[in-house]
Every structure is written in C-alpha cells, then in structure tokens.
Amino acid sequence: MQKTLFIKLSIIAGLCLIFTIGLTMFSSVISERQNYADSVVREIAQQHVNPQEIITPFIAIPMTVTPECLIAANSTEKNKCAAPYSTVSTVFATQTMASQDLAVSNETYQRGIYHATSYEGDIIFDQRYSLTQHSLPASTRAQTANGDANNNTTGNPAVNTAQTQRTQTHWDNVKLIIPVSDLRGVATLPTVTIGKQQLKATYPQDAMIQGLSYVEVALPQDLIAKLQAASLTAKHPNGLQNDATQEHLLDITVNLPLSGINHLNTVPTGQNFELVMRSNWHAPNFIGKALPNAKDYTSKGFEAKWQNQYLTVANNQYLAQCLSSANNECTVTSRASLNDEMSLRDPEAALMEASMSADSLSLNSFGVSFAEPNDVYLQTERTMKYALLLILVSFGTFFLFEIIKSSRIHPIQYLLVGCALLVFYVLLLPLAEQIVFWQAYAVAASACVGLIGWYTYYVLGSIKRAAIFTAILAGLYASFYGILTVEDLNLLLGAVFCFVLIAAVMVMTRKIDWYQVT
C-alpha cells in the first residue's frame, strides 16, 4: 500500500520537475521579447530623439591666454614660448527658478506592437545674474616675475629672464549658453528675454565649447559693456577691492521647447536653484543624485520640486574647471543617452571617474524616468514566480480527491491538467502585448479555468467535485493577481497566502491515516 502511495507521489514530483523546466524555457522567451522591445526603443532613439539632459543656462566668455614665456637674455638664443591657447570663463546665475511642464504619451513613437514613452513641453528658466560677483582678468594685463625685463641685474646675463603672461578677453563673442544633450528634440529654437528685449537662440557657427551640445544667444552690446565694466572694476590689478563698485543685476528668461523619450535629467548650476516639474504621467520614477523635496500626485498627473544646493555648487566647480581647460581639452558627457555606456554604470562610480578624469566630466543631475507603470514583461515574469505553486496546489487538490473521495486519476490526466496550466502563460504574454495587462490576465485565466473545469468533470465523474476544483483554481488566479497588483505588500501577502494554504491542507487531512492509504 505504501509502495503505491510512493509511486504516485514520485510521479507527481516528476511532473512538477518537467513543468519547472518548461517554465524556465518560457522565461527565456520573455527575456528575448523584452530585449527585442529594448532594441526597438534604441532604434527609435537613434532615428528620432534620445532621452534628454539639460544644463542650466550660463554665460560663457571666451579668452585667449598667452602663457608664460622664458625669454633668454643672450640674444644668440631663440625665444622659448609655449603656443597661446583658448579658454572659456563662466558666469553662473545667482538665482534660477526652473519650471518644466511636460505632456507624456506612449503613442508618438511606435514600431508595430512596441513603443517608446515620449514627452514634450516647455522648459522655462527665470534667472538673475549679479555681474560684479565675477572677477575677470584685464584684457591686456601683463604680470612680471623675477624683475623687470628691461632692468639690468647683476650676475650672469645669460640667465636673466622675465616671465610674462597676457590674457585677452573676446568681449564681442560673449554668449548665453543653453546646453541640451540632443538638439533633435529642440524643434523650435528657444526664445530668450534679456531685460525687456527678446532674442532668438541660434546654433553655434563656430563652437567655443567642444564636446557639449548647445544653442547660444549673443548678448546685446549694452550688456557686454556692463560685463566689461564689471570685470575691470571688480578688482584692481594691485588686488585691492574697489569700494565704489556698483552691483549690476541682470534678469534673463529662457523659454525652451523640448521633446525626448523615456526620461529627462536636469543639471543644476548657479547659486540658488529651484526646479518645479509638472506632468500628466501618473507613474513617475524619480532618478538621479537627488529626490524631490516635495511631490504631489493628482488626478491630472504629478508635481515635484527639487532644491539641492550641494549638487549645484559642485556642478559650478566641475563645469567651470572643465571649461577653463586649455583649448577645451575637457569635455562634458551626458548620462541621458540610451547609447551612452555611462548611463549603464553606477552613478557614484561614474561621477568619481569623471571628476578624476582630465578630459571627461559627468555632472550631477536629477530628474524623472517616465517608465511604463505596467511593463508587460516584468508583470509576466512576476506572475511566473507563482507558477510552480499553482501547479502544486492543482496536483495536490487532485491527490486529495484520490485520498478522501477514493477517485482514481491517471498520471496522464495529471499531465494534461499541468499542460493546460502552462498554456495560461503562453497566452498571457502575447495577449498582454496587444491589450492591457489585467485584461490579458483575465482572458487567459478564464480560458484555462474553463478548459480545466470542463475536463475535471470527466476526470472526477461529478459536477460537484468539478465545481469545487474549478472554484479553487479560479480563486488561486484571482489571489495571485491581487498579490501582483499590491507592489509594496506583495511579499507579505504572498507569505500570508502560503500560510493559509498549508493550514487549509493540514485541516483537511488531519484525520487521514496515511498508513492505511492505498
């Protein structure tokens, strides 16, 4: 008698093992479909627009520096001088209020059943600059060391030298820089209001900043005159502050129409930076180096506010140091692009590597990823985690009918019921790619429950027993879906469900004498 029971349990365990192998094979199909969907999104990014990363606008002042020259006193030797190099001085806003109003949709870019989540809207920067807080070198200042070159000093005339350095500021080429990681997303060039004057941004004809994608605005002559006056009066050549220096405040408003896909990052610069983002998307995923200080979810979407002074000051230091490098040897890289390997790295490691690199810089940023709230591949994969439990409960119910009601169920019948349970997952994924996930789940579950319920009527030979088994199976599907939809409590609910399940089995089998089971 015990041998018969052992054989039956061994057959059930073997069938469970076979179905586990089948589930593993189907998991590879899910991964393959997900990889293909990701490749379609990357193709859309290459052909249309990438995720965007925007840097707070700033003023760039190009300069040419003639480095220190070693001029030999002996006229028979040639002058030894390094070549002049170009550099860029930056002026950051003392206060910036940024707002982003975005309309998010997943219907703009599609390839068959696959699509990319896209957004478009207006990015507005309200900035204030204090021109006297930035000190620039005089355009023709010359500094000497080791004495005047024209003075005679005692000693060997061959080693009498003079070191000179001259910095020339190109005031006629001062620009307001508006960096955007992918300019394909700027369908209309931004409008810039300086004081009461409206200007249109242009693409740079001769980029002064290499490795940075941006549009620019040439500053008006009266503003350049204020900048030039501020640089001359901020500090005298002898290093003494000019008490009569008058502070010049400049208000600039940038209206930037922008579109992109998947996510939007913002790099804050200046002294006081605040960002407010509004969107119609109901499932935002906040990313980057800082979470919002405040966020609010409404029926229309969400609103989030960021304000992080540490990241802003750090970006000022990194960016100013990078742009002031000789001949733009330092480049600013973006983590926004899907094709950028930097986006796949750990953010902390990427920032540390960038800060230590002499020719590459990745700035601190924060923003939102507009990920799909119900990713069908993730949902299907999570559903499959309960597949083995579903099969075990179904086989266990059959086995209890054999023990308690003395029904005779052949291993082939176990096999067919298990195959029907596997077909649920085969139906679920392709349906979820076409319709909403909960609808796909309901259709696949109803089809499988109906098929198995009809079949168990003939297996168990009783409408009542078939109805009991069908109700148990339908309750399992409903319970599993409820556990999946509660993301924060799914582990707890799953544990409670398992406890209730094993408790029910123990209650039903508490009076069975297993030694007498045939």
Side-chain angles (χ1 to χ4, degrees):
M1 290 187 295
Q2 296 303 313
K3 183 177 180 181
T4 304
L5 178 62
F6 177 76
I7 293 175
K8 177 68 73 171
L9 292 176
S10 298
I11 293 174
I12 294 175
L15 290 175
C16 291
L17 179 60
I18 293 174
F19 291 132
T20 301
I21 297 174
L23 290 171
T24 303
M25 296 175 63
F26 188 70
S27 296
S28 64
V29 176
I30 297 177
S31 299
E32 180 182 351
R33 300 287 288 182
Q34 187 170 17
N35 291 334
Y36 183 71
D38 293 339
S39 68
V40 170
V41 174
R42 286 192 293 268
E43 180 183 350
I44 292 174
Q46 292 174 355
Q47 296 178 352
H48 295 281
V49 63
N50 275 299
Q52 296 284 14
E53 181 176 86
I54 54 177
I55 302 177
T56 309
F58 59 90
I59 296 175
I61 305 174
M63 296 184 294
T64 300
V65 178
T66 302
E68 296 180 350
C69 298
L70 185 64
I71 305 175
N74 192 343
S75 60
T76 59
E77 298 183 12
K78 295 181 178 180
N79 293 342
K80 300 177 182 179
C81 294
Y85 61 87
S86 61
T87 185
V88 176
S89 180
T90 52
V91 181
F92 296 111
T94 56
Q95 183 176 351
T96 300
M97 294 289 296
S99 64
Q100 301 174 353
D101 294 297
L102 303 175
V104 185
S105 172
N106 54 13
E107 299 177 356
T108 304
Y109 301 110
Q110 292 184 327
R111 294 288 187 277
I113 63 174
Y114 303 105
H115 60 266
T117 305
S118 63
Y119 57 86
E120 61 179 8
D122 292 325
I123 315 297
I124 299 177
F125 295 97
D126 285 322
Q127 297 184 296
R128 170 162 289 187
Y129 290 82
S130 180
L131 303 184
T132 56
Q133 293 187 1
H134 185 77
S135 178
L136 294 175
S139 59
T140 59
R141 182 183 304 173
Q143 297 176 347
T144 61
N146 297 331
D148 192 340
N150 297 324
N151 293 338
N152 293 327
T153 57
T154 59
N156 189 350
V159 297
N160 289 337
T161 61
Q163 294 179 340
T164 63
Q165 177 173 321
R166 186 178 62 181
T167 301
Q168 181 181 4
T169 304
H170 303 284
W171 295 108
D172 56 342
N173 199 29
V174 177
K175 308 286 187 181
L176 177 69
I177 304 299
I178 309 173
V180 179
S181 62
D182 191 348
L183 289 176
R184 293 177 300 173
V186 184
T188 304
L189 288 172
T191 301
V192 178
T193 303
I194 301 178
K196 297 182 179 180
Q197 185 177 1
Q198 282 195 350
L199 302 172
K200 202 71 173 180
T202 60
Y203 296 106
Q205 299 296 325
D206 186 14
M208 73 172 76
I209 303 175
Q210 303 298 327
L212 187 65
S213 177
Y214 65 92
V215 293
E216 62 184 15
V217 176
L219 299 186
Q221 290 298 323
D222 57 340
L223 175 58
I224 293 178
K226 292 181 180 179
L227 273 172
Q228 192 170 5
S231 70
L232 294 175
T233 59
K235 181 180 288 188
H236 288 294
N238 59 8
L240 298 176
Q241 290 289 94
N242 185 356
D243 296 333
T245 299
Q246 183 180 1
E247 184 178 23
H248 295 284
L249 297 179
L250 173 65
D251 293 326
I252 296 179
T253 301
V254 178
N255 191 340
L256 172 65
L258 187 68
S259 62
I261 64 171
N262 281 20
H263 58 266
L264 172 62
N265 285 356
T266 302
V267 176
T269 64
Q271 293 185 21
N272 298 289
F273 180 89
E274 182 175 338
L275 169 63
V276 178
M277 177 185 289
R278 304 177 187 88
S279 173
N280 62 336
W281 198 247
H282 293 82
N285 179 26
F286 299 107
I287 58 177
K289 303 292 290 184
L291 294 175
N293 301 91
K295 52 184 180 290
D296 181 33
Y297 298 92
T298 64
S299 59
K300 297 182 180 180
F302 76 93
E303 178 178 313
K305 298 180 180 180
W306 286 266
Q307 190 174 17
N308 192 300
Q309 191 67 15
Y310 169 75
L311 296 183
T312 305
V313 173
N315 285 337
N316 295 344
Q317 298 171 349
Y318 293 147
L319 187 58
Q321 184 177 4
C322 181
L323 297 184
S324 62
S325 62
N327 297 323
N328 294 129
E329 294 178 353
C330 177
T331 59
V332 181
T333 59
S334 171
R335 282 189 287 234
S337 174
L338 287 176
N339 304 314
D340 191 353
E341 295 182 359
M342 184 83 67
S343 63
L344 303 178
R345 302 178 185 175
D346 180 82
E348 292 289 346
L351 181 60
M352 183 177 297
E353 179 182 345
S355 62
M356 292 187 299
S357 175
D359 55 2
S360 180
L361 173 66
S362 184
L363 299 171
N364 300 300
S365 64
F366 45 71
V368 172
S369 172
F370 302 103
E372 287 284 350
N374 295 314
D375 184 272
V376 296
Y377 306 105
L378 178 60
Q379 293 279 54
T380 304
E381 186 177 356
R382 291 174 59 190
T383 304
M384 289 186 62
K385 294 180 179 180
Y386 297 95
L388 185 59
L389 180 59
L390 181 66
I391 294 173
L392 286 174
V393 172
S394 301
F395 286 178
T397 304
F398 267 10
F399 181 73
L400 289 179
F401 275 122
E402 287 194 79
I403 299 300
I404 299 175
K405 301 298 182 180
S406 299
S407 300
R408 292 179 60 84
I409 303 176
H410 195 273
I412 295 298
Q413 294 171 320
Y414 277 94
L415 177 64
L416 291 175
V417 171
C419 290
L421 294 174
L422 284 182
V423 169
F424 165 76
Y425 300 99
V426 177
L427 288 172
L428 178 61
L429 179 59
L431 285 173
E433 289 180 332
Q434 302 290 338
I435 58 179
V436 182
F437 182 81
W438 73 266
Q439 296 176 351
Y441 190 96
V443 171
S446 300
C448 292
V449 170
L451 176 63
I452 295 174
W454 169 81
Y455 183 69
T456 53
Y457 166 72
Y458 296 96
V459 173
L460 300 176
S462 171
I463 295 179
K464 181 180 179 181
R465 296 176 185 177
I468 292 175
F469 183 82
T470 302
I472 292 174
L473 190 60
L476 287 175
Y477 278 114
S479 299
F480 290 153
Y481 183 78
I483 292 174
L484 291 174
T485 55
V486 186
E487 295 184 1
D488 296 335
L489 299 175
N490 55 4
L491 182 60
L492 176 61
L493 292 180
V496 172
F497 177 80
C498 291
F499 176 81
V500 172
L501 187 64
I502 192 64
V505 173
M506 294 174 70
V507 169
M508 288 187 294
T509 61
R510 68 187 184 277
K511 296 182 180 180
I512 296 178
D513 186 357
W514 294 100
Y515 286 102
Q516 299 299 323
V517 174
T518 59

